Each structure stands twice: as C-alpha cells, then as structure tokens.
Amino acid sequence: MPTAFITGPAGGLGSAIADALAPTHTLFLGGRPSARLDELAARLGATTWPLDLADTDSIPTVVEPIDELDVLIHNAGASFPGRVAESTVDEWRTTMEVNVIGAVALTLALLPALRAARGHVVFINSGAGLRASPGLASYTASKFALRGFADSLRDDEPALRVTSIHPGRIATPMQEELVAYEGGQYDPSRLLSPETVAKFVAGAVNAPPDAHVREIIIRPRR
C-alpha cells in the first residue's frame, strides 16, 4: 500500500484523518509520544514517529529512514486565542514555529522521499488562512504564511501534488477553547465534525492520478 505520514495524529482531526486513510495507506503517525498516540497506532496497525515540530534540528534525523513517501499531511498546529493587543511575542513565536517553520522543516526533510514517489503534500489550513479571523491574530498570520508556502511548493515542485484544505470551525478542543474566549456557548452540532473534514482529505489524497486538487474550502451547513 502507499504510505502516508500524518502530523498531529492524536488530536480529534488527526485521528479522524488516520481512520479515513487506514484502509488505503500504510500510516506513519508523527507526534509527541503519548498513550493516546500509541493506542491509535495499535488500533490501526500504524507506526509512530517521535516528532516535535518546534525542535527543527531533530526532524531530519527522525525521518531519515523514510526513503519514499506517497503522502505527507501537515495537520499539527498551535493556537492562542487573542487579539493583537492581547497577544505576546512568545505566543507568536510558538505559533510560527509549529504552524509554519515546523511544517517547512518537515517538508524539506522529506522532499527527497516525496520526489521519489511523485507524492502529495496536504496542508490542513483554516478559514483563517483565507480571511483574518477576529481573536486569532497569530494563528491567522501563521495560516496565511502556510498557504503561501503551499503555493510556493506547488510552483517549485511540479512533480508533486500540493493541496491546501481550509475548513471552517471544527468540533475539536481547540474550537471549544476559542468559543470560551469569545464568551459564546460551544455547540458541536453547529460545527463541522472531524470525520467530515477527514473525508475531504481522503478524497483529495485518493483522487485519480491525473487530477490535482489544489484547494478545498469547507464550511458548516447551517
């Protein structure tokens, strides 16, 4: 089976993506070691890879054994609710390190393996990567930057497929934290489910080889 490396697999969306791809791909689950990650790997017959996107110096060594890779899915992310005046430099630094610099470092480390397979890189972006989202200053900036990196990768590596996925609000703990910051009432029934977004990811990954799905925008139906 083709291979797929997923970052942030232990979270709600990450585990849903792993479930969606398990029937068609051999999974490499890249994240910080945890019982939840081990349980997911055991259930899906996947391999875990100890990955810290904030520690970019360690990334090449971690993924060195991978010499061919069909799919790389950038799902891991950091978010600090807050408007510009409420944010701190440390929050901006962490957000950029994980959401942008970590994704760049991992892509560069795996680029030879992706080229060997004429592979596919999928970026789980956000609606905030298309339009600024109030109360998410550093997160919005990071997602705009991530979209720019995806577009540059697509232009510079024409043998690869590169997809940016921009979901609206998803029923995850990160969204629950944001709603609490906004002073609203968290109602997951009004949000996209992780499983719904994962189906779009799987659809793009499993698209026929003559198709290049470049961008997907998903919003909750109301």
Side-chain angles (χ1 to χ4, degrees):
M1 286 199 296
T3 53
F5 192 109
I6 305 171
T7 70
L13 179 55
S15 60
I17 293 171
D19 280 329
L21 290 182
T24 55
H25 289 73
T26 297
L27 300 182
F28 302 153
L29 306 181
R32 294 176 178 172
S34 69
R36 184 168 181 174
L37 181 60
D38 290 341
E39 290 168 5
L40 179 66
R43 179 167 63 81
L44 298 179
T47 305
T48 60
W49 295 73
L51 181 71
D52 182 355
L53 291 175
D55 182 8
T56 54
D57 290 341
S58 69
I59 290 175
T61 301
V62 170
V63 301
E64 184 179 9
I66 302 174
D67 56 11
E68 190 165 324
L69 181 66
D70 296 284
V71 183
L72 170 59
I73 299 178
H74 291 290
N75 171 69
S79 172
F80 297 94
R83 297 178 183 273
V84 172
E86 300 167 343
S87 64
T88 68
V89 171
D90 284 343
E91 290 173 348
W92 281 80
R93 182 176 292 110
T94 298
T95 304
M96 292 297 177
E97 284 177 348
V98 174
N99 294 2
V100 184
I101 304 303
V104 171
L106 182 60
T107 302
L108 292 177
L110 288 171
L111 196 52
L114 289 161
R115 286 171 173 164
R118 294 180 59 84
H120 191 172
V121 184
V122 179
F123 295 88
I124 306 301
N125 201 293
S126 168
L130 299 170
R131 180 178 179 182
S133 185
L136 284 174
S138 61
Y139 182 78
T140 293
S142 74
K143 290 301 186 178
F144 267 78
L146 189 66
R147 183 186 179 200
F149 174 56
D151 290 346
S152 295
L153 180 65
R154 187 183 302 113
D155 287 342
D156 291 344
E157 296 289 335
L160 304 183
R161 296 198 291 186
V162 179
T163 305
S164 286
I165 297 182
H166 298 269
R169 296 195 172 200
I170 308 172
T172 63
M174 187 181 84
Q175 199 58 236
E176 189 171 3
E177 180 183 358
L178 177 59
V179 171
Y181 164 81
E182 295 170 335
Q185 184 174 359
Y186 179 71
D187 180 1
S189 68
R190 294 177 57 84
L191 309 177
L192 291 164
S193 73
E195 291 74 20
T196 292
V197 178
K199 287 180 180 179
F200 281 92
V201 175
V205 167
N206 292 314
D210 61 337
H212 187 167
V213 181
R214 298 188 171 202
E215 187 172 79
I216 298 175
I217 299 172
I218 317 163
R219 295 293 180 268
R221 182 177 180 179
R222 296 181 178 175

